[in-house]
Amino acid sequence: MLTPFDDNYFMKKALEEAQLAYEKAEVPVGAVITHQNTIIARSHNLTEQLTDVTAHAEMQAITSAANFIGGKYLKDCTLYVTLEPCQMCAGALYWSQISRLVFAAEDEKRGYRNMGTKLHPKTKVKLGVLAEEASSLLKRFFIEKRNLN
Amino acid sequence: MLTPFDDNYFMKKALEEAQLAYEKAEVPVGAVITHQNTIIARSHNLTEQLTDVTAHAEMQAITSAANFIGGKYLKDCTLYVTLEPCQMCAGALYWSQISRLVFAAEDEKRGYRNMGTKLHPKTKVKLGVLAEEASSLLKRFFIEKRNLN
């Protein structure tokens, strides 16, 4: 059966969130969490607005999804995020035992893989979904920021 | 000059927070953040009460201290925490660029050091302050929990 609800579809929703972050002059990263093809959490980076290094898109999405589910563990859930999670966010994903992580752009410098952070053994990973779109937006943000300073 | 405001003093305050967590049937971990010998944030683990894996004592303390300071970076601040931080919390400390981390009990299994998480190069670390008291409380919690199940 054909379904519109594939990884591209949900990553586009995460990109819409990243766009909202961009419009607020936040590093443009967006996330959604799905459960049975339904979005149960959506968020974008708010570290500047909230003056809080912990306000990454993923952290907010994990809190929000657990709140929706009424349980701490994100079983049968998928996190879609436009940038590879950092140590903190991967560490939170570890505790959440999320079933699946899908990210768009790789973060060679501060991404969890090169930093050596461990996900939960239950978590499956897919990367590169709409990576071009996600990194274009990030590059645009950083170029504009540099030109402002 | 003699001062009552040494590492033992502040770790005792963190232990008082851990005790509050214990009384709520939470894994008993407590934290305080200081700036110029003044406590600017205090918190304890609330993962069960909030149904949120991100509600570790350290995460709440970081958010709270940044709110107090009015800035994201915890310059000239010290985090006192009764258990070695996990990947997530160490990852948050990395972003906060906190000046100093003092923890009591070591966590060989899930502590950030054995997990390979990187702190910020600016962060100095001291460990073992009131370690015995902190681990006694943790052990008591886990023994009682096992006996209940």
Side-chain angles (χ1 to χ4, degrees), chain A residues 54-68:
Chain A
T54 77
H56 282 191
E58 300 94 312
M59 301 301 285
Q60 298 175 66
I62 291 166
T63 298
S64 183
N67 189 44
F68 179 88

Side-chain angles (χ1 to χ4, degrees), chain B residues 45-110:
Chain B
N45 178 36
L46 284 174
T47 49
E48 296 304 322
Q49 190 165 315
L50 299 180
T51 321
D52 186 352
V53 296
T54 76
H56 283 191
E58 300 96 311
M59 301 301 285
Q60 297 175 68
I62 291 166
T63 296
S64 183
N67 189 44
F68 179 87
I69 288 171
K72 283 188 304 175
Y73 301 114
L74 303 181
K75 197 173 170 274
D76 301 325
C77 290
T78 300
L79 170 72
Y80 295 87
V81 59
T82 60
L83 180 64
E84 179 178 347
C86 71
Q87 300 186 117
M88 170 181 71
C89 295
L93 290 170
Y94 172 92
W95 290 121
S96 79
Q97 303 187 15
I98 198 161
S99 299
R100 199 159 165 259
L101 162 66
V102 181
F103 65 89
E106 298 180 49
D107 186 347
E108 291 197 3
K109 201 171 165 199
R110 272 143 173 193

